[in-house]
Amino acid sequence: MSEILVLVEHVDGDVKKVTLELLTLARSLGTPAAVWAGPGYSDAAKARLAEYGAEKIYVAAADEIGDYVVAPKAEVLAHLVAERSPAAVFVAATGEGKEIAGRLAVKTDSGVISDAVGVGEGFVAEQSIFGGGVNVHSRVTKGTPIITVRPNSTAPVAAAAAGAEEKVEVALSDAARAARIVERVVQEKGARPELTEAAIVVSGGRGVGSGENFSIIEKLADTLGAAVGASRAATDAGWYPHQFQVGQTGKTVSPQLYIAAGISGAIQHRAGMQTSKTIVVINKDAEAPLFEIADFGVVGDLFQVVPQLTEEIEKRK
Ligand SMILES: Cc1cc2nc3c(=O)[nH]c(=O)nc-3n(C[C@H](O)[C@H](O)[C@H](O)COP(=O)(O)OP(=O)(O)OC[C@H]3O[C@@H](n4cnc5c(N)ncnc54)[C@H](O)[C@@H]3O)c2cc1C
């Protein structure tokens, strides 16, 4: 089967979960080949990639690749596309991934599809558009299909493969050195998973009533090992930081489970969570629009339902 290149997302040498998802997806359509660009490659990274199906691992580990903003990674991929003629290239639909994909498309004169929530036979990509109201299927008709795929679109499944390493050396162009990284500041991180990557998200809205009350949302989230999200009403009120806003003007999440408490379901909120696999809605108003897309709904006061739910889950742990 033809090779599908999967660009590895890594931080401090750790392979990010989205890469395991992309390897799983690639396996259903061809032979996955991971592409490591930048420093930090290790035996542990190799083992992880092979565990999730990378038959081959192209390693461009030059320190220099990590010194510059995105452009070198696009050059590494372009080099491999020219040399190996892969069937497709999959990149995570993160800020960095989307920029790399765009640059790669220009370099290889290929079409690019962004923000796919699935990819099927013939590299037909599924995208959820217009605030999640419409799903479209599209296919690249020129060059090598380059597809960015949203985190959490595929459940990662291990399937051991060879993980045969091949070193790649690319002479970076002057253009790739145009923007140098001068400092890296590690963001202080809580114990919770990153919102856009979390498998479970628990979100609170105006119904939560205050910043202090968000502690009940956090407790449920921590019981489930989930990330916390919020509606814009809650972030605009200053009850929860803006970086946790889910929706059209916030983050797009696509977890396995999305629990919304005290959120009515405005189209702008749905836009950021509609592709979640299972949606649970807790709202005291049976007519709240979010119930329309709920898999499970509880009509009730969140101040009773959420603590009870937390307690019940704790008991079963
Ligand atoms: C350009 C634009 C961009 C926007 N972007 C976003 C965005 O990115 N994200 C976003 O979320 N919104 C966004 N909005 C705002 C959006 O239109 C809604 O105003 C917002 O989502 C409402 O938030 P909410 O559901 O928390 O509040 P409300 O609509 O006020 O709903 C609160 C809900 O809580 C329920 N409730 C109240 N008390 C309880 C209780 N004790 N127990 C259970 N349920 C209770 C109520 O029944 C109600 O359904 C945007 C708007 C515009 C115009």
Side-chain angles (χ1 to χ4, degrees):
M1 276 203 286
S2 3
E3 213 165 63
I4 298 173
L5 300 183
V6 171
L7 180 66
V8 178
E9 287 242 337
H10 53 92
V11 174
D12 297 333
D14 286 336
V15 177
K16 293 187 85 178
K17 180 171 149 263
V18 65
T19 300
L20 311 180
E21 296 167 11
L22 295 194
L23 288 171
T24 305
L25 180 64
R27 215 164 61 222
S28 66
L29 299 163
T31 305
V35 180
W36 183 285
Y41 185 71
S42 65
D43 286 348
K46 175 185 171 164
R48 192 96 173 121
L49 295 169
E51 186 189 349
Y52 280 83
E55 284 294 345
K56 201 174 268 180
I57 306 171
Y58 294 110
V59 184
D63 284 349
E64 198 187 21
I65 292 170
D67 287 345
Y68 297 93
V69 181
V70 299
K73 291 183 180 169
E75 289 201 349
V76 170
L77 282 175
H79 169 84
L80 285 167
V81 168
E83 286 233 316
R84 307 287 155 162
S85 307
V89 181
F90 290 174
V91 180
T94 55
E96 179 175 298
K98 287 192 239 185
E99 191 176 337
I100 292 169
R103 285 169 180 266
L104 178 64
V106 172
K107 284 178 191 303
T108 58
D109 201 15
S110 299
V112 62
I113 296 174
S114 212
D115 256 327
V117 292
V119 184
E121 281 304 319
F123 298 107
V124 173
E126 182 176 358
Q127 290 159 297
S128 173
I129 62 160
F130 294 147
V134 177
N135 275 18
V136 289
H137 293 89
S138 26
R139 191 161 47 84
V140 166
T141 54
K142 189 179 182 199
T144 306
I146 299 164
I147 305 175
T148 75
V149 184
R150 272 192 199 165
N152 284 314
S153 298
T154 308
V157 179
E165 241 171 69
E166 203 172 300
K167 293 231 169 357
V168 179
E169 299 213 350
V170 178
L172 297 184
S173 69
D174 285 346
R177 295 192 180 92
R180 192 186 184 102
I181 296 167
V182 291
E183 190 185 8
R184 284 190 165 84
V185 180
V186 180
Q187 200 182 10
E188 262 190 56
K189 224 177 137 217
R192 297 192 188 104
E194 211 279 311
L195 181 56
T196 55
E197 290 175 6
I200 306 176
V201 174
V202 183
S203 286
R206 203 195 305 271
V208 175
S210 72
E212 295 78 63
N213 290 348
F214 253 84
S215 62
I216 68 164
I217 302 293
E218 291 183 325
K219 267 192 202 137
L220 176 57
D222 292 342
T223 305
L224 291 164
V228 175
S231 73
R232 180 156 154 185
T235 58
D236 278 355
W239 300 342
Y240 222 67
H242 276 286
Q243 76 213 62
F244 298 101
Q245 182 183 311
V246 172
Q248 185 184 315
T249 43
K251 301 264 168 71
T252 300
V253 300
S254 197
Q256 297 296 318
L257 173 62
Y258 187 86
I259 303 178
I263 296 177
S264 62
I267 185 75
Q268 296 90 350
H269 186 78
R270 291 186 192 200
M273 46 65 72
Q274 188 145 359
T275 54
S276 304
K277 305 291 175 299
T278 301
I279 298 170
V280 176
V281 174
I282 302 163
N283 197 305
K284 66 179 184 186
D285 175 9
E287 303 298 321
L290 203 53
F291 279 124
E292 290 165 15
I293 58 161
D295 296 284
F296 299 98
V298 183
V299 180
D301 185 340
L302 70 91
F303 295 104
Q304 289 176 4
V305 178
V306 174
Q308 279 179 38
L309 182 57
T310 309
E311 201 184 313
E312 226 17 76
I313 295 166
E314 280 294 346
K315 272 193 219 155
R316 292 177 190 204
K317 273 180 156 181

